Amino acid sequence: MINNMTSIIRSTQGGCWGSDRLRLRLYGGVFDLAVMPLIDRVESLQGVIRKVKRIEAMGQTGRSNYVDVTKFPKAGTSKLSTDEMPEAPTAPSTYNEKMLANYVPVYVMLPLGVISNDNVFEDQPKMEKQLKELRAAGVDGVMVDVWWGIVESKGPKQYDWSAYRSLFALVQECGLKLQAIMSFHRCGGNVGDEVTIPLPQWVLDIGETDPDIFYTNRKGNRNKEYLTIGVDNQPLFHGRTAVQLYSDNMKSFRQHMSDFIEAGLIIDIEVGLGPAGELRYPSYTGTQGWVFPGIGEFQCYDKYLEAEFKEAATGAGHPEWGLPDNAGEYNDTPGSTEFFGLNGTYMTEKGKFFLTWYSNKLLNHGDEILDEANRAFLGCKLKLAAKVAGIHWWYKSPSHAAELTSGYYNLKDRDGYRPIARMLSRHYAIFNFTCLEMRDSEQRADAKCGPQELVQQVLSGGWREEVEVAGENALSRYDSNGYNQMLLNARPNGISREGLPKQIMYGVTYLRLSDELLKDKNFKIFKTFVKKMHTDQVSKHLHTYKDNTLEGIKLVFFFLFVSQDYCADLGMYNHQIGPLERSKPKLVMEDLLEATKPMEPFPWGEETDMKVDDFDGVLANLIRKLFSLFK
C-alpha cells in the first residue's frame, strides 16, 4: 500500500523511479551545503529554491502537484526562529526519542599547541574558522589540553588562565561543548607530539638537585615527562607534595573558569594521571630510544619507589627480593628476556608479588588524584574522566609484556583493566580508552597485536562495573575503515530501535583537528562519520513522516537540505549532567583484586550497521536520502 508521502514524490506505477516519473528540476548549478555554516546553508538554500521551477510527482491520476517552496523558514540573525519552522507531527517524536537513545556525541581534539608555550592564544581567526566548520559538520564539542607547564610556569601558585579563557570564550561562541584535560605531563616525545611543552621550570629546577622526582629505569635514565608516583606524598615542591600540586591547579581552574562551568560549556574534566595524560607508567618513550613494538621497561627505580618496594617486600617476609633485573630493554621482544619468556619470572611468586605491587601503585595513584579532583569540582555540573592507554602490541603473547611494563597487570587468567574501572566508579568518572580505530589485520604479525580483542575486553569490563565508557582513536585516520571500526566499538551490537542499547559508548573523541582533516575529501568522510555516530537522526525521523500537506512537504525538504543530525540537548540522549557528588568510600585492596577475575567479554558484531562509505557528492546524497524515506 502506498502512503501519502509517496503519492507526492514517487510514481505509483510499479513503484519505479524512472526519470519520466520523478522530476526534480534544480536550476542554478550544483552547490555544496555540507561545508557551509548552518545559517549560510539556509540562506543559500533559499536562493536556490527560488530557482526551482517545480517539484512534480505524477500519480495514477496523472495529475501534477505543485509546491510553493519559496516560503521555507527564513534565517534570522544567528539562528532559525522556531516560530517559522513547520511543526512536526507528534507521532515521529516517539520513534525519534528511541533513536536518540543510540546517539553517541562526537568531540574533536584541538591541536596540542593551540595555546603557545608563552601562554598566548595565537591565530584566533584560523581557529574560529575551524571551529565553525566543526560545528557546521554536526560535531558536539572539542577537547583541549590545559597544560600545567603553561598556566603555572611563572612560579608556585602563580596561575595565568587568560589565554585559555580566550579560547574557551571562542568555543562557547561557536556553539560547541568543551572537554578540558588537566595535563600534568610534558608534551613532546610521544607519537603525534608536534610541539614541546615542558613541566613548569621551577619544578624542573627541583629535579636538578633531586633527579629522583622523575620516573627512572633500571639503568638510571630519567624521564622528565611526568613526576614519579614515588613523590605523590613527598613535600618536595616548596612544601607541597605532587598530589597537592595537582589539587591546587584544579582548584584554581574551577575558581577562574566558574562562569564557563555554570554556563554548561565545560561538560567534563579529564584528569591527567601520567605520561600522555594516561594512567600508566612511561614504559615506552621515543626520547629514550623506544620504537614500536618494543616491550618497554619498568619505571620504578627512583629512590622513592625503590624504598617503597623494599618496605613492601620486607613486610611480605621477603626482604631479599629486589626490583626486576632480568626484564630486558625498551626494544626487546618478550621471548628474549628471562622475565617475560617461556615460564618466565612473571609466573613465579616473586614476579607476581612485584607485578601486583607495581600495578597497585598505579591504581592508588589514580585513586588519590581523582579524589582530589572530586573535591575540587564537587557540586559542579560536569563529569570527571580518566584515560587508559591501548597497549595492543604483544597482547596475544602469553606474558602481555608491553602491558605489564606500562602497569596493566593483564594476563589470560587475570583482568588488568576491570580494577581500574571499579576504582573509577567510586569517583563517578568516565573510563576513556584509546585505539578504537585499530584492527588486528592492520598490525604487524610478529608483534602479536590484538587491538580488537583488547578494546572488547576493556569496554566490557567498564560496562560490567557500570561506569560510562568513552574512547578515542590512537592515530589520526581519514579513511572509512578506521571510522567504521570506531562506529562498531561505539555500538558493538548496532542500533537498538527500542531505546537505549545494552552496550553503548558515552562519547567518542576524534584525534585530532588539523588542516589534513579539513581537506575536502577527508572532511566529507568525517562528516558522514559524525552523522553515523548520531544515528542519521533526520532521515530516520522522516522515514516515519507521512504528510502530504504543504507544511509537511516544506518540513521534509528543509531537513533534507539543512539538518546536521545534531542534538544540543544532552538530556535527549541520556547524558543529563547533575551536580558532581562526593566520591564513594575508598575501596579496600581486596575489592579491587576481586575485579581481576577474568570474565568473557560481551559479544561484538562483525561490522557496524551504520557504515561509512565513499558514496559522495551532493546529488548522490540527495538521492540516497530520498530513497531512505521509503525503506
Side-chain angles (χ1 to χ4, degrees), residues 41 96 100 103-104 135-140 527-528 530-542 559-560 562-568 573 610 625:
R41 280 186 277 124
N96 205 35
L100 271 171
Y103 185 106
V104 178
R135 184 63 196 84
V139 167
D140 297 83
K527 286 185 285 189
T528 303
V530 174
K531 283 181 173 289
K532 299 302 180 183
M533 281 291 181
H534 293 172
T535 68
D536 279 342
Q537 279 299 300
V538 169
S539 57
K540 297 293 182 183
H541 175 89
L542 291 177
F559 278 118
L560 279 176
V562 175
S563 172
Q564 288 293 345
D565 299 343
Y566 165 75
C567 181
Y573 51 92
M610 298 293 289
K625 287 188 175 185

Side-chain angles (χ1 to χ4, degrees), residues 585-604:
K586 187 175 179 66
L587 295 165
V588 297
M589 191 53 64
E590 288 73 17
D591 288 333
L592 292 173
L593 291 177
E594 192 276 332
T596 64
K597 179 182 177 181
M599 302 180 74
E600 285 296 314
F602 292 117
W604 239 249

Side-chain angles (χ1 to χ4, degrees), residues 113 178 205 325 353 381:
L178 185 69
D205 290 342
D325 59 2
F353 178 83
K381 289 187 178 181

Side-chain angles (χ1 to χ4, degrees), residues 322-625:
L323 295 171
D325 59 2
N326 60 351
E329 299 182 353
Y330 286 111
N331 296 315
D332 284 339
T333 61
S336 67
T337 73
E338 186 179 342
F339 192 94
F340 299 113
L342 187 64
N343 298 318
T345 306
Y346 79 95
M347 300 179 68
T348 67
E349 181 187 2
K350 177 181 178 180
K352 290 177 181 178
F353 178 83
F354 165 74
L355 290 170
T356 300
W357 172 84
Y358 190 67
S359 59
N360 285 350
K361 286 295 299 179
L362 191 67
L363 268 174
N364 190 65
H365 170 73
D367 188 46
E368 278 196 65
I369 297 175
L370 283 168
D371 194 62
E372 292 298 320
N374 179 273
R375 293 176 188 273
F377 295 103
L378 190 64
C380 296
K381 289 187 178 181
L382 51 74
K383 295 276 189 180
L384 296 180
K387 184 162 67 170
V388 172
I391 313 296
H392 59 88
W393 53 104
W394 305 114
Y395 180 84
K396 293 184 178 181
S397 68
S399 67
H400 291 242
E403 292 169 271
L404 298 191
T405 58
S406 297
Y408 306 140
Y409 190 3
N410 188 57
L411 299 170
K412 184 177 181 180
D413 61 352
R414 190 186 196 281
D415 193 325
Y417 300 98
R418 200 153 61 88
I420 298 175
R422 185 165 293 187
M423 179 271 290
L424 293 176
S425 71
R426 134 168 148 85
H427 305 290
Y428 311 101
I430 299 168
F431 191 131
N432 189 18
F433 196 63
T434 61
C435 77
L436 293 188
E437 84 285 9
M438 295 184 176
R439 299 184 183 187
D440 294 3
S441 60
E442 298 169 341
Q443 311 305 318
R444 284 174 46 173
D446 63 322
K448 296 187 178 180
C449 300
Q452 291 176 248
E453 293 84 356
L454 174 60
V455 169
Q456 192 173 357
Q457 175 193 343
V458 174
L459 268 56
S460 294
W463 286 321
R464 281 203 165 95
E465 294 300 322
E466 299 183 346
V467 298
E468 287 150 346
V469 179
E472 60 193 48
N473 50 309
L475 303 173
S476 294
R477 293 280 292 267
Y478 311 103
D479 61 294
S480 58
N481 288 336
Y483 289 132
N484 286 332
Q485 189 63 29
M486 294 175 74
L487 284 158
L488 172 61
N489 289 326
R491 292 183 293 257
N493 296 298
I495 295 292
S496 167
R497 300 184 185 279
E498 297 303 322
L500 187 66
K502 291 183 179 179
Q503 284 85 46
I504 184 172
M505 295 190 72
Y506 190 75
V508 168
T509 301
Y510 176 82
L511 181 151
R512 83 180 53 247
L513 177 62
S514 66
D515 292 338
E516 189 71 16
L517 172 65
L518 298 177
K519 285 183 179 178
D520 185 53
K521 182 179 179 181
N522 291 345
F523 201 44
K524 284 183 178 179
I525 298 175
F526 174 77
K527 286 185 285 189
T528 303
F529 164 69
V530 174
K531 283 181 173 289
K532 299 302 180 183
M533 281 291 181
H534 293 172
T535 68
D536 279 342
Q537 279 299 300
V538 169
S539 57
K540 297 293 182 183
H541 175 89
L542 291 177
H543 171 64
T544 65
Y545 188 54
K546 303 171 183 179
D547 182 6
N548 64 354
T549 66
L550 177 62
E551 293 304 305
I553 295 168
K554 287 195 289 186
L555 179 66
V556 168
F557 277 87
F558 173 77
F559 278 118
L560 279 176
F561 282 101
V562 175
S563 172
Q564 288 293 345
D565 299 343
Y566 165 75
C567 181
D569 185 353
L570 278 64
M572 291 293 290
Y573 51 92
N574 303 299
H575 279 47
Q576 303 95 330
I577 301 179
L580 183 63
E581 300 177 39
R582 183 71 184 101
S583 295
K584 290 176 278 189
K586 187 175 179 66
L587 295 165
V588 297
M589 191 53 64
E590 288 73 17
D591 288 333
L592 292 173
L593 291 177
E594 192 276 332
T596 64
K597 179 182 177 181
M599 302 180 74
E600 285 296 314
F602 292 117
W604 239 249
E606 290 296 321
E607 61 179 26
T608 177
D609 59 349
M610 298 293 289
K611 202 169 184 179
V612 172
D613 56 37
D614 296 321
F615 194 140
D616 213 348
V618 176
L619 183 58
N621 283 330
L622 174 58
I623 293 173
R624 171 193 274 174
K625 287 188 175 185

Side-chain angles (χ1 to χ4, degrees), residues 306-321 349 353 357:
E306 276 192 322
E308 288 191 36
F309 178 77
K310 189 67 174 178
E311 181 182 355
T314 301
H318 290 282
E320 75 280 8
W321 283 351
E349 181 187 2
F353 178 83
W357 172 84

